[in-house]
Short mmCIF file of all heavy atoms in Angstrom, two decimals:
data_model
loop_
_atom_site.label_atom_id
_atom_site.label_comp_id
_atom_site.label_asym_id
_atom_site.label_seq_id
_atom_site.Cartn_x
_atom_site.Cartn_y
_atom_site.Cartn_z
N PRO S 33 17.12 70.04 175.68
CA PRO S 33 16.90 68.58 175.68
C PRO S 33 17.91 67.83 174.86
O PRO S 33 18.03 66.60 175.01
CB PRO S 33 15.49 68.45 175.08
CG PRO S 33 14.85 69.77 175.22
CD PRO S 33 15.98 70.78 175.15
N PHE S 34 18.61 68.49 173.94
CA PHE S 34 19.46 67.79 172.98
C PHE S 34 20.93 68.08 173.11
O PHE S 34 21.79 67.34 172.65
CB PHE S 34 19.01 68.13 171.54
CG PHE S 34 17.53 67.94 171.32
CD1 PHE S 34 16.66 69.03 171.28
CD2 PHE S 34 17.03 66.66 171.16
CE1 PHE S 34 15.32 68.84 171.08
CE2 PHE S 34 15.66 66.46 170.97
CZ PHE S 34 14.82 67.58 170.93
N ILE S 35 21.23 69.23 173.70
CA ILE S 35 22.64 69.69 173.79
C ILE S 35 23.02 69.97 175.21
O ILE S 35 22.28 70.58 175.99
CB ILE S 35 22.84 70.97 172.91
CG1 ILE S 35 22.56 70.66 171.44
CG2 ILE S 35 24.26 71.52 173.06
CD1 ILE S 35 22.68 71.86 170.55
N ASP S 36 24.22 69.54 175.56
CA ASP S 36 24.80 69.92 176.86
C ASP S 36 25.34 71.33 176.64
O ASP S 36 26.52 71.53 176.36
CB ASP S 36 25.91 68.95 177.22
CG ASP S 36 26.27 69.01 178.67
OD1 ASP S 36 25.69 69.86 179.38
OD2 ASP S 36 27.13 68.22 179.11
N LEU S 37 24.44 72.31 176.71
CA LEU S 37 24.75 73.66 176.22
C LEU S 37 25.80 74.40 177.08
O LEU S 37 25.66 74.46 178.30
CB LEU S 37 23.44 74.50 176.19
CG LEU S 37 23.57 75.90 175.60
CD1 LEU S 37 23.87 75.85 174.11
CD2 LEU S 37 22.30 76.70 175.89
N LYS S 38 26.80 74.90 176.39
CA LYS S 38 27.81 75.73 177.08
C LYS S 38 27.67 77.15 176.54
O LYS S 38 27.87 77.35 175.36
CB LYS S 38 29.20 75.23 176.73
CG LYS S 38 29.76 74.14 177.58
CD LYS S 38 31.27 74.08 177.41
CE LYS S 38 31.83 72.85 178.11
NZ LYS S 38 32.72 72.09 177.26
N THR S 39 27.34 78.09 177.43
CA THR S 39 27.37 79.47 176.97
C THR S 39 28.03 80.33 178.01
O THR S 39 28.09 79.99 179.19
CB THR S 39 25.93 80.05 176.74
OG1 THR S 39 25.30 80.30 177.98
CG2 THR S 39 25.07 79.16 175.86
N GLU S 40 28.54 81.50 177.53
CA GLU S 40 28.93 82.58 178.44
C GLU S 40 27.77 83.54 178.37
O GLU S 40 27.53 84.11 177.31
CB GLU S 40 30.25 83.20 177.98
CG GLU S 40 31.24 83.41 179.08
CD GLU S 40 32.58 83.93 178.60
OE1 GLU S 40 32.68 85.12 178.29
OE2 GLU S 40 33.53 83.14 178.57
N TYR S 41 27.04 83.67 179.45
CA TYR S 41 25.77 84.40 179.43
C TYR S 41 25.93 85.88 179.78
O TYR S 41 26.55 86.24 180.79
CB TYR S 41 24.80 83.73 180.41
CG TYR S 41 23.45 84.42 180.53
CD1 TYR S 41 22.41 84.11 179.64
CD2 TYR S 41 23.21 85.37 181.51
CE1 TYR S 41 21.18 84.70 179.76
CE2 TYR S 41 21.97 85.99 181.62
CZ TYR S 41 20.96 85.66 180.73
OH TYR S 41 19.73 86.26 180.84
N TYR S 42 25.37 86.74 178.94
CA TYR S 42 25.33 88.20 179.17
C TYR S 42 23.89 88.65 179.09
O TYR S 42 23.24 88.43 178.07
CB TYR S 42 26.20 88.94 178.18
CG TYR S 42 27.68 88.59 178.33
CD1 TYR S 42 28.20 87.52 177.68
CD2 TYR S 42 28.47 89.34 179.18
CE1 TYR S 42 29.54 87.15 177.86
CE2 TYR S 42 29.81 89.01 179.39
CZ TYR S 42 30.33 87.92 178.69
OH TYR S 42 31.63 87.56 178.88
N ASP S 43 23.42 89.29 180.16
CA ASP S 43 22.04 89.79 180.17
C ASP S 43 22.00 91.19 179.61
O ASP S 43 22.28 92.16 180.33
CB ASP S 43 21.50 89.72 181.58
CG ASP S 43 20.05 90.18 181.66
OD1 ASP S 43 19.48 90.49 180.58
OD2 ASP S 43 19.49 90.24 182.76
N LEU S 44 21.63 91.33 178.32
CA LEU S 44 21.55 92.64 177.71
C LEU S 44 20.13 93.25 177.82
O LEU S 44 19.80 94.19 177.14
CB LEU S 44 21.94 92.62 176.23
CG LEU S 44 23.35 92.11 175.85
CD1 LEU S 44 23.72 92.55 174.45
CD2 LEU S 44 24.41 92.60 176.79
N GLY S 45 19.31 92.64 178.70
CA GLY S 45 18.02 93.26 179.00
C GLY S 45 18.24 94.71 179.44
O GLY S 45 19.27 95.00 180.08
N LEU S 46 17.33 95.57 179.08
CA LEU S 46 17.51 97.01 179.31
C LEU S 46 17.87 97.35 180.76
O LEU S 46 18.75 98.16 181.02
CB LEU S 46 16.22 97.77 178.89
CG LEU S 46 16.25 99.28 179.03
CD1 LEU S 46 17.38 99.90 178.24
CD2 LEU S 46 14.92 99.87 178.58
N LEU S 47 17.20 96.69 181.69
CA LEU S 47 17.44 97.04 183.11
C LEU S 47 18.85 96.63 183.54
O LEU S 47 19.49 97.33 184.37
CB LEU S 47 16.39 96.44 184.03
CG LEU S 47 14.97 97.02 183.78
CD1 LEU S 47 13.96 96.39 184.68
CD2 LEU S 47 14.99 98.55 183.99
N ASN S 48 19.37 95.54 183.02
CA ASN S 48 20.75 95.16 183.39
C ASN S 48 21.77 96.02 182.67
O ASN S 48 22.82 96.30 183.24
CB ASN S 48 21.00 93.67 183.09
CG ASN S 48 22.27 93.17 183.77
OD1 ASN S 48 22.49 93.47 184.95
ND2 ASN S 48 23.12 92.50 183.03
N ARG S 49 21.44 96.46 181.46
CA ARG S 49 22.34 97.42 180.80
C ARG S 49 22.43 98.68 181.65
O ARG S 49 23.46 99.27 181.86
CB ARG S 49 21.85 97.75 179.40
CG ARG S 49 22.33 96.77 178.34
CD ARG S 49 21.78 97.17 176.97
NE ARG S 49 20.44 96.66 176.75
CZ ARG S 49 19.50 97.30 176.03
NH1 ARG S 49 19.78 98.44 175.46
NH2 ARG S 49 18.33 96.77 175.89
N ASN S 50 21.27 99.11 182.17
CA ASN S 50 21.21 100.30 183.01
C ASN S 50 22.00 100.08 184.30
O ASN S 50 22.81 100.91 184.71
CB ASN S 50 19.76 100.65 183.32
CG ASN S 50 19.59 101.99 184.02
OD1 ASN S 50 20.01 102.99 183.48
ND2 ASN S 50 19.05 101.93 185.21
N ALA S 51 21.78 98.93 184.94
CA ALA S 51 22.45 98.64 186.21
C ALA S 51 23.95 98.57 186.04
O ALA S 51 24.70 98.88 187.00
CB ALA S 51 21.92 97.34 186.81
N THR S 52 24.42 98.15 184.89
CA THR S 52 25.88 97.97 184.70
C THR S 52 26.47 99.17 183.94
O THR S 52 27.61 99.10 183.45
CB THR S 52 26.18 96.70 183.88
OG1 THR S 52 25.57 96.80 182.60
CG2 THR S 52 25.70 95.45 184.59
N GLN S 53 25.69 100.25 183.80
CA GLN S 53 26.14 101.41 183.03
C GLN S 53 26.56 100.98 181.61
O GLN S 53 27.51 101.49 181.03
CB GLN S 53 27.36 102.06 183.70
CG GLN S 53 27.13 102.53 185.12
CD GLN S 53 26.42 103.87 185.17
OE1 GLN S 53 26.89 104.83 184.60
NE2 GLN S 53 25.27 103.89 185.82
N ASP S 54 25.84 100.02 181.10
CA ASP S 54 26.03 99.46 179.72
C ASP S 54 27.36 98.69 179.56
O ASP S 54 27.70 98.28 178.44
CB ASP S 54 25.93 100.57 178.65
CG ASP S 54 25.37 100.02 177.35
OD1 ASP S 54 24.73 98.94 177.38
OD2 ASP S 54 25.60 100.62 176.28
N GLN S 55 28.06 98.46 180.69
CA GLN S 55 29.30 97.69 180.60
C GLN S 55 29.05 96.26 180.09
O GLN S 55 29.87 95.68 179.40
CB GLN S 55 29.99 97.62 181.95
CG GLN S 55 30.97 98.70 182.22
CD GLN S 55 31.92 98.92 181.01
OE1 GLN S 55 32.67 98.03 180.67
NE2 GLN S 55 31.83 100.07 180.37
N VAL S 56 27.87 95.73 180.40
CA VAL S 56 27.55 94.36 179.99
C VAL S 56 27.57 94.21 178.50
O VAL S 56 27.98 93.18 177.94
CB VAL S 56 26.19 93.90 180.65
CG1 VAL S 56 25.03 94.67 180.09
CG2 VAL S 56 26.01 92.39 180.46
N THR S 57 27.16 95.27 177.80
CA THR S 57 27.13 95.22 176.33
C THR S 57 28.59 95.13 175.79
O THR S 57 28.90 94.33 174.93
CB THR S 57 26.41 96.42 175.76
OG1 THR S 57 25.13 96.56 176.39
CG2 THR S 57 26.19 96.31 174.25
N VAL S 58 29.41 96.01 176.36
CA VAL S 58 30.82 96.05 175.95
C VAL S 58 31.47 94.70 176.25
O VAL S 58 32.16 94.14 175.40
CB VAL S 58 31.55 97.19 176.68
CG1 VAL S 58 33.04 97.15 176.41
CG2 VAL S 58 30.93 98.55 176.29
N GLU S 59 31.19 94.17 177.44
CA GLU S 59 31.81 92.89 177.82
C GLU S 59 31.32 91.75 176.90
O GLU S 59 32.12 90.85 176.53
CB GLU S 59 31.45 92.52 179.27
CG GLU S 59 32.31 93.30 180.25
CD GLU S 59 31.74 93.25 181.68
OE1 GLU S 59 30.91 92.39 181.98
OE2 GLU S 59 32.14 94.12 182.48
N SER S 60 30.05 91.79 176.51
CA SER S 60 29.55 90.73 175.64
C SER S 60 30.20 90.80 174.25
O SER S 60 30.50 89.77 173.63
CB SER S 60 28.02 90.80 175.52
OG SER S 60 27.62 91.88 174.73
#
Side-chain angles (χ1 to χ4, degrees):
F34 309 103
I35 297 179
D36 196 358
L37 185 68
K38 272 199 189 131
T39 73
E40 224 175 78
Y41 178 86
Y42 294 87
D43 181 2
L44 301 198
L46 181 58
L47 294 179
N48 194 46
R49 274 180 276 147
N50 188 59
T52 61
Q53 304 278 304
D54 212 20
Q55 268 314 296
V56 67
T57 309
V58 173
E59 282 165 19
S60 73

